[in-house]
Amino acid sequence: MKRFSIHVLLLLQTVVYSQNEFHNEKSPVFSNCDILEFNEQQRCFDNEVRQFIYKNFKTPPGVIEAKYEGEVSVLFEVNAEGQFKVIYVDAVYDELKEELKRVFSMFPQIKPGMYNGKPSFMQYSIALNIPLNRNASANTGIKPNRINQIQEKAEREFDSITRNLTAF
């Protein structure tokens, strides 16, 4: 009887705790994202970061003169105090790297991310297309599909090969 009651208690405890929605990881939160539901806060964080960059980024004159079109990647973290810190910037021009570091130094302090109920740092990466398209939606990372003649010829050749395949 003792064994049965111990098993019932263990099973009851498991069932009770399995019904709780316990999130052990929470993204950093901007003040205007605080009122949103838990599931929407990460999307709000992403949008706020992009909008802040679009608002404060100034394309360096050397990059404008070169008519550069490309991508810049930034690896950053929000530390346990809620401050932004750039870890690495991958860009062709040093001016772009310095400008992105300047923009990230301007970010306000926010509520830090949480892990197991304690403030913790969280790392993120973001890819930006230069020149910045300030009207682009933050949710889309889709670039225009530009197919040149060589790519088109290669695709036609591949299609002709796959059509001529025969089963063993």
Side-chain angles (χ1 to χ4, degrees), residues 57-96:
F57 184 84
K58 294 179 178 79
T59 308
V63 176
I64 293 172
E65 290 171 12
K67 296 180 182 176
Y68 174 72
E69 289 185 17
E71 189 174 88
V72 177
S73 298
V74 182
L75 177 65
F76 67 95
E77 77 176 22
V78 179
N79 64 18
E81 290 79 41
Q83 298 167 336
F84 285 78
K85 179 183 172 188
V86 174
I87 297 170
Y88 178 74
V89 180
D90 183 25
V92 174
Y93 292 94
D94 289 334
E95 295 93 347
L96 285 172

Short mmCIF file of all heavy atoms in Angstrom, two decimals, residues 57-96:
data_model
loop_
_atom_site.label_atom_id
_atom_site.label_comp_id
_atom_site.label_asym_id
_atom_site.label_seq_id
_atom_site.Cartn_x
_atom_site.Cartn_y
_atom_site.Cartn_z
N PHE A 57 21.12 55.04 -38.86
CA PHE A 57 22.24 54.68 -39.73
C PHE A 57 22.40 55.72 -40.83
O PHE A 57 21.45 56.09 -41.50
CB PHE A 57 22.01 53.31 -40.35
CG PHE A 57 23.15 52.82 -41.18
CD1 PHE A 57 24.23 52.19 -40.60
CD2 PHE A 57 23.15 52.99 -42.57
CE1 PHE A 57 25.29 51.73 -41.38
CE2 PHE A 57 24.19 52.54 -43.34
CZ PHE A 57 25.26 51.90 -42.75
N LYS A 58 23.62 56.19 -41.00
CA LYS A 58 23.96 57.13 -42.08
C LYS A 58 25.02 56.46 -42.94
O LYS A 58 26.12 56.17 -42.47
CB LYS A 58 24.47 58.43 -41.51
CG LYS A 58 23.43 59.20 -40.72
CD LYS A 58 24.02 60.48 -40.16
CE LYS A 58 22.98 61.26 -39.40
NZ LYS A 58 22.72 60.78 -38.07
N THR A 59 24.70 56.22 -44.19
CA THR A 59 25.64 55.56 -45.09
C THR A 59 26.86 56.44 -45.29
O THR A 59 26.72 57.61 -45.65
CB THR A 59 24.97 55.26 -46.45
OG1 THR A 59 23.75 54.56 -46.22
CG2 THR A 59 25.88 54.42 -47.32
N PRO A 60 28.06 55.91 -45.05
CA PRO A 60 29.28 56.71 -45.21
C PRO A 60 29.46 57.19 -46.64
O PRO A 60 29.10 56.49 -47.59
CB PRO A 60 30.40 55.73 -44.82
CG PRO A 60 29.73 54.70 -43.98
CD PRO A 60 28.33 54.59 -44.51
N PRO A 61 30.03 58.40 -46.82
CA PRO A 61 30.20 58.97 -48.17
C PRO A 61 31.00 58.07 -49.12
O PRO A 61 30.67 57.98 -50.30
CB PRO A 61 30.94 60.29 -47.92
CG PRO A 61 30.69 60.61 -46.49
CD PRO A 61 30.47 59.32 -45.79
N GLY A 62 32.05 57.41 -48.62
CA GLY A 62 32.85 56.54 -49.48
C GLY A 62 32.05 55.37 -50.03
O GLY A 62 32.27 54.93 -51.16
N VAL A 63 31.13 54.89 -49.25
CA VAL A 63 30.28 53.77 -49.68
C VAL A 63 29.27 54.25 -50.72
O VAL A 63 28.99 53.55 -51.69
CB VAL A 63 29.57 53.13 -48.46
CG1 VAL A 63 28.61 52.04 -48.88
CG2 VAL A 63 30.59 52.60 -47.47
N ILE A 64 28.76 55.47 -50.53
CA ILE A 64 27.82 56.05 -51.50
C ILE A 64 28.52 56.29 -52.83
O ILE A 64 27.99 55.97 -53.90
CB ILE A 64 27.22 57.36 -50.96
CG1 ILE A 64 26.34 57.07 -49.74
CG2 ILE A 64 26.41 58.06 -52.04
CD1 ILE A 64 25.84 58.30 -49.02
N GLU A 65 29.74 56.84 -52.78
CA GLU A 65 30.50 57.11 -54.00
C GLU A 65 30.81 55.83 -54.76
O GLU A 65 30.80 55.82 -56.00
CB GLU A 65 31.80 57.84 -53.67
CG GLU A 65 31.61 59.26 -53.19
CD GLU A 65 32.89 59.88 -52.66
OE1 GLU A 65 33.98 59.29 -52.86
OE2 GLU A 65 32.80 60.95 -52.04
N ALA A 66 31.10 54.76 -54.05
CA ALA A 66 31.41 53.48 -54.69
C ALA A 66 30.15 52.77 -55.18
O ALA A 66 30.25 51.74 -55.85
CB ALA A 66 32.17 52.58 -53.72
N LYS A 67 28.97 53.31 -54.86
CA LYS A 67 27.68 52.71 -55.23
C LYS A 67 27.63 51.25 -54.80
O LYS A 67 27.20 50.37 -55.54
CB LYS A 67 27.42 52.85 -56.72
CG LYS A 67 27.29 54.29 -57.16
CD LYS A 67 27.04 54.40 -58.63
CE LYS A 67 26.97 55.88 -59.01
NZ LYS A 67 26.81 56.07 -60.44
N TYR A 68 28.07 51.02 -53.56
CA TYR A 68 28.14 49.66 -53.02
C TYR A 68 26.75 49.11 -52.76
O TYR A 68 25.90 49.77 -52.17
CB TYR A 68 28.96 49.67 -51.72
CG TYR A 68 28.98 48.34 -51.02
CD1 TYR A 68 29.70 47.27 -51.54
CD2 TYR A 68 28.27 48.14 -49.84
CE1 TYR A 68 29.72 46.04 -50.90
CE2 TYR A 68 28.29 46.93 -49.20
CZ TYR A 68 29.02 45.88 -49.73
OH TYR A 68 29.03 44.67 -49.10
N GLU A 69 26.54 47.89 -53.22
CA GLU A 69 25.33 47.14 -52.91
C GLU A 69 25.77 45.79 -52.36
O GLU A 69 26.43 45.03 -53.06
CB GLU A 69 24.46 46.94 -54.15
CG GLU A 69 23.80 48.18 -54.64
CD GLU A 69 22.85 47.92 -55.79
OE1 GLU A 69 22.46 46.75 -55.99
OE2 GLU A 69 22.51 48.88 -56.48
N GLY A 70 25.44 45.52 -51.14
CA GLY A 70 25.85 44.26 -50.54
C GLY A 70 25.20 44.07 -49.19
O GLY A 70 24.23 44.74 -48.85
N GLU A 71 25.76 43.16 -48.43
CA GLU A 71 25.20 42.81 -47.14
C GLU A 71 26.22 43.01 -46.04
O GLU A 71 27.41 42.79 -46.23
CB GLU A 71 24.75 41.34 -47.18
CG GLU A 71 23.97 40.91 -45.97
CD GLU A 71 23.44 39.50 -46.12
OE1 GLU A 71 24.16 38.57 -45.75
OE2 GLU A 71 22.31 39.34 -46.62
N VAL A 72 25.73 43.46 -44.90
CA VAL A 72 26.55 43.63 -43.71
C VAL A 72 25.92 42.78 -42.61
O VAL A 72 24.72 42.82 -42.41
CB VAL A 72 26.57 45.12 -43.27
CG1 VAL A 72 27.37 45.28 -42.00
CG2 VAL A 72 27.14 45.99 -44.37
N SER A 73 26.75 42.01 -41.93
CA SER A 73 26.26 41.17 -40.84
C SER A 73 26.81 41.68 -39.52
O SER A 73 27.99 42.02 -39.43
CB SER A 73 26.71 39.72 -41.03
OG SER A 73 26.16 39.21 -42.22
N VAL A 74 25.96 41.72 -38.52
CA VAL A 74 26.36 42.20 -37.20
C VAL A 74 25.99 41.13 -36.17
O VAL A 74 24.86 40.66 -36.14
CB VAL A 74 25.65 43.52 -36.84
CG1 VAL A 74 26.11 44.03 -35.49
CG2 VAL A 74 25.84 44.57 -37.90
N LEU A 75 26.96 40.76 -35.35
CA LEU A 75 26.73 39.87 -34.22
C LEU A 75 26.80 40.75 -32.98
O LEU A 75 27.78 41.44 -32.76
CB LEU A 75 27.79 38.77 -34.17
CG LEU A 75 27.71 37.81 -32.99
CD1 LEU A 75 26.44 36.99 -33.05
CD2 LEU A 75 28.92 36.91 -32.97
N PHE A 76 25.72 40.77 -32.20
CA PHE A 76 25.67 41.62 -31.02
C PHE A 76 25.01 40.89 -29.87
O PHE A 76 24.41 39.84 -30.05
CB PHE A 76 24.93 42.94 -31.32
CG PHE A 76 23.47 42.79 -31.60
CD1 PHE A 76 22.53 42.96 -30.59
CD2 PHE A 76 23.02 42.49 -32.87
CE1 PHE A 76 21.18 42.83 -30.85
CE2 PHE A 76 21.67 42.36 -33.14
CZ PHE A 76 20.74 42.53 -32.13
N GLU A 77 25.15 41.47 -28.69
CA GLU A 77 24.50 40.90 -27.52
C GLU A 77 23.84 42.00 -26.72
O GLU A 77 24.24 43.16 -26.79
CB GLU A 77 25.47 40.11 -26.66
CG GLU A 77 26.38 40.94 -25.80
CD GLU A 77 27.28 40.10 -24.88
OE1 GLU A 77 27.51 38.91 -25.16
OE2 GLU A 77 27.73 40.66 -23.88
N VAL A 78 22.83 41.61 -25.98
CA VAL A 78 22.23 42.46 -24.96
C VAL A 78 22.66 41.83 -23.65
O VAL A 78 22.31 40.69 -23.35
CB VAL A 78 20.69 42.50 -25.09
CG1 VAL A 78 20.10 43.38 -24.00
CG2 VAL A 78 20.28 42.99 -26.47
N ASN A 79 23.48 42.56 -22.87
CA ASN A 79 24.06 41.96 -21.67
C ASN A 79 23.05 41.92 -20.52
O ASN A 79 21.90 42.34 -20.67
CB ASN A 79 25.36 42.67 -21.27
CG ASN A 79 25.16 44.11 -20.89
OD1 ASN A 79 24.05 44.56 -20.58
ND2 ASN A 79 26.23 44.87 -20.91
N ALA A 80 23.47 41.43 -19.38
CA ALA A 80 22.57 41.23 -18.23
C ALA A 80 22.08 42.55 -17.65
O ALA A 80 21.14 42.56 -16.86
CB ALA A 80 23.28 40.41 -17.16
N GLU A 81 22.70 43.66 -18.03
CA GLU A 81 22.23 44.98 -17.60
C GLU A 81 21.30 45.62 -18.62
O GLU A 81 20.80 46.71 -18.41
CB GLU A 81 23.42 45.92 -17.33
CG GLU A 81 24.23 45.57 -16.11
CD GLU A 81 25.19 44.41 -16.35
OE1 GLU A 81 25.81 44.35 -17.43
OE2 GLU A 81 25.28 43.53 -15.46
N GLY A 82 21.11 44.98 -19.78
CA GLY A 82 20.22 45.51 -20.81
C GLY A 82 20.91 46.46 -21.78
O GLY A 82 20.25 47.22 -22.46
N GLN A 83 22.22 46.41 -21.86
CA GLN A 83 22.97 47.28 -22.76
C GLN A 83 23.40 46.49 -23.99
O GLN A 83 23.76 45.33 -23.90
CB GLN A 83 24.20 47.86 -22.06
CG GLN A 83 23.82 48.72 -20.87
CD GLN A 83 25.03 49.03 -20.00
OE1 GLN A 83 26.01 48.31 -19.99
NE2 GLN A 83 24.92 50.11 -19.24
N PHE A 84 23.39 47.17 -25.14
CA PHE A 84 23.78 46.55 -26.40
C PHE A 84 25.30 46.59 -26.53
O PHE A 84 25.94 47.60 -26.21
CB PHE A 84 23.15 47.27 -27.58
CG PHE A 84 21.69 46.97 -27.74
CD1 PHE A 84 20.74 47.56 -26.93
CD2 PHE A 84 21.26 46.08 -28.72
CE1 PHE A 84 19.40 47.29 -27.08
CE2 PHE A 84 19.92 45.80 -28.88
CZ PHE A 84 18.99 46.40 -28.05
N LYS A 85 25.87 45.50 -27.04
CA LYS A 85 27.32 45.42 -27.24
C LYS A 85 27.58 44.71 -28.55
O LYS A 85 27.11 43.58 -28.75
CB LYS A 85 27.95 44.66 -26.08
CG LYS A 85 29.44 44.50 -26.19
CD LYS A 85 29.98 43.67 -25.04
CE LYS A 85 31.43 43.34 -25.26
NZ LYS A 85 31.93 42.39 -24.28
N VAL A 86 28.34 45.35 -29.44
CA VAL A 86 28.69 44.73 -30.72
C VAL A 86 29.84 43.77 -30.49
O VAL A 86 30.86 44.12 -29.90
CB VAL A 86 29.07 45.80 -31.77
CG1 VAL A 86 29.57 45.14 -33.04
CG2 VAL A 86 27.90 46.71 -32.06
N ILE A 87 29.69 42.55 -30.98
CA ILE A 87 30.74 41.55 -30.86
C ILE A 87 31.55 41.48 -32.15
O ILE A 87 32.78 41.45 -32.12
CB ILE A 87 30.12 40.17 -30.53
CG1 ILE A 87 29.42 40.25 -29.18
CG2 ILE A 87 31.19 39.09 -30.53
CD1 ILE A 87 28.59 39.04 -28.86
N TYR A 88 30.86 41.48 -33.29
CA TYR A 88 31.56 41.35 -34.57
C TYR A 88 30.71 41.97 -35.67
O TYR A 88 29.49 41.83 -35.68
CB TYR A 88 31.81 39.87 -34.87
CG TYR A 88 32.47 39.62 -36.20
CD1 TYR A 88 33.83 39.89 -36.38
CD2 TYR A 88 31.76 39.12 -37.28
CE1 TYR A 88 34.44 39.66 -37.59
CE2 TYR A 88 32.37 38.89 -38.49
CZ TYR A 88 33.71 39.16 -38.64
OH TYR A 88 34.31 38.94 -39.85
N VAL A 89 31.38 42.66 -36.61
CA VAL A 89 30.72 43.21 -37.78
C VAL A 89 31.46 42.70 -39.01
O VAL A 89 32.69 42.83 -39.09
CB VAL A 89 30.72 44.76 -37.78
CG1 VAL A 89 30.02 45.30 -39.01
CG2 VAL A 89 30.08 45.30 -36.53
N ASP A 90 30.73 42.14 -39.95
CA ASP A 90 31.32 41.67 -41.19
C ASP A 90 30.85 42.58 -42.31
O ASP A 90 29.68 42.56 -42.69
CB ASP A 90 30.89 40.22 -41.47
CG ASP A 90 31.54 39.65 -42.72
OD1 ASP A 90 32.62 40.14 -43.10
OD2 ASP A 90 30.96 38.72 -43.30
N ALA A 91 31.78 43.40 -42.82
CA ALA A 91 31.46 44.33 -43.90
C ALA A 91 32.70 44.53 -44.76
O ALA A 91 33.83 44.35 -44.30
CB ALA A 91 30.99 45.67 -43.33
N VAL A 92 32.49 44.91 -46.01
CA VAL A 92 33.58 45.14 -46.94
C VAL A 92 34.34 46.41 -46.57
O VAL A 92 35.57 46.43 -46.60
CB VAL A 92 33.04 45.23 -48.39
CG1 VAL A 92 34.14 45.60 -49.35
CG2 VAL A 92 32.40 43.91 -48.79
N TYR A 93 33.62 47.44 -46.21
CA TYR A 93 34.22 48.74 -45.90
C TYR A 93 34.35 48.94 -44.40
O TYR A 93 33.40 48.68 -43.65
CB TYR A 93 33.38 49.88 -46.48
CG TYR A 93 33.37 49.93 -47.99
CD1 TYR A 93 32.36 49.31 -48.72
CD2 TYR A 93 34.38 50.58 -48.69
CE1 TYR A 93 32.35 49.35 -50.09
CE2 TYR A 93 34.38 50.63 -50.07
CZ TYR A 93 33.36 50.01 -50.77
OH TYR A 93 33.35 50.05 -52.13
N ASP A 94 35.49 49.43 -43.95
CA ASP A 94 35.68 49.74 -42.53
C ASP A 94 34.73 50.84 -42.07
O ASP A 94 34.32 50.86 -40.91
CB ASP A 94 37.13 50.16 -42.26
CG ASP A 94 38.09 48.99 -42.37
OD1 ASP A 94 37.65 47.84 -42.15
OD2 ASP A 94 39.28 49.23 -42.66
N GLU A 95 34.37 51.74 -42.98
CA GLU A 95 33.43 52.82 -42.63
C GLU A 95 32.07 52.25 -42.22
O GLU A 95 31.42 52.78 -41.32
CB GLU A 95 33.25 53.81 -43.79
CG GLU A 95 34.49 54.57 -44.16
CD GLU A 95 35.29 53.88 -45.28
OE1 GLU A 95 35.01 52.70 -45.60
OE2 GLU A 95 36.19 54.53 -45.82
N LEU A 96 31.64 51.20 -42.89
CA LEU A 96 30.37 50.56 -42.53
C LEU A 96 30.46 49.93 -41.14
O LEU A 96 29.52 50.02 -40.34
CB LEU A 96 29.99 49.49 -43.55
CG LEU A 96 29.47 49.97 -44.89
CD1 LEU A 96 29.32 48.80 -45.86
CD2 LEU A 96 28.15 50.68 -44.72
#
